[in-house]
Amino acid sequence: MNAYTIRLDGNESTGPEGSYLLWAYGRSGLEVEERDSLEDALGWFAAVSEGDRTSPECIEGPAGVVPTRQVAAWVAATGNRSRAWQSAYRDMWAGQVRHVVELRFPGSDAAAEFFACDDLGDAITIVGRLNRPGRVRVVSKVFDLRRGWVPERAVIDWEHSAQEAA
């Protein structure tokens, strides 16, 4: 009989209390980490499986090695749930607008996103607080399912922020 109950439905997987050793090959060779529960160990295994620096090998629990097929099935089920959640989250954002305050690097045209919010008033408040004439702008962006946040229009452009300060 298997001492480990691996749940694929999102409920907590359980096993005997004790130490769970996580075996993997990393850049420096064989590595081992410890977790307190089977659920934590499975989460680590899934996270490491997605990376490219470490190759997880097995989970060794108090009752021996957790069956590899069950671990692989848990990792796959978790990935599927995560992708479904991400898809629903992306669908929820479709068409949403946010206002981004961009700030230019001194003496350059290079700019970085400084602040993003849903309320244009908050963005305008940030522009006033920054007080960097000619170096601040606010861009409205719309979320597109295929392209992510896409600039729609400059609400306050670089020249306007310079004129406001004058």
Side-chain angles (χ1 to χ4, degrees):
M1 184 169 130
N2 189 355
Y4 304 107
T5 303
I6 309 286
R7 304 288 307 256
L8 304 180
D9 59 3
N11 290 314
E12 185 175 0
S13 296
T14 58
E17 286 188 32
S19 179
Y20 287 81
L21 300 177
L22 312 160
W23 293 94
Y25 280 100
R27 292 189 179 186
S28 61
L30 189 60
E31 300 173 355
V32 63
E33 285 193 37
E34 181 182 30
R35 294 292 188 267
D36 294 333
S37 71
L38 177 59
E39 189 73 15
D40 286 346
L42 289 166
W44 173 90
F45 198 95
V48 170
S49 294
E50 293 178 7
D52 59 352
R53 289 191 244 171
T54 305
S55 174
E57 294 299 314
C58 73
I59 299 172
E60 180 186 354
V65 174
V66 180
T68 305
R69 281 187 170 178
Q70 290 182 0
V71 172
W74 188 91
V75 169
T78 300
N80 291 339
R81 280 193 306 279
S82 177
R83 283 186 291 282
W85 180 86
Q86 288 172 354
S87 177
Y89 182 78
R90 285 177 57 84
D91 289 348
M92 177 185 79
W93 277 99
Q96 295 291 317
V97 176
R98 75 175 181 180
H99 306 286
V100 178
V101 177
E102 295 178 350
L103 183 61
R104 277 188 181 156
F105 187 78
S108 169
D109 285 339
E113 186 174 301
F114 179 77
F115 182 78
C117 60
D118 296 332
D119 187 305
L120 179 59
D122 291 343
I124 291 170
T125 299
I126 295 294
V127 169
R129 184 176 62 85
L130 286 171
N131 192 25
R132 301 290 195 281
R135 292 184 41 216
V136 182
R137 76 175 179 171
V138 175
V139 178
S140 290
K141 294 184 177 184
V142 176
F143 191 80
D144 179 87
L145 287 175
R146 288 177 294 189
R147 299 180 296 160
W149 291 103
V150 179
E152 184 179 53
R153 68 183 177 96
V155 177
I156 298 175
D157 62 14
W158 305 117
E159 292 75 28
H160 182 79
S161 72
Q163 293 168 3
E164 287 284 317

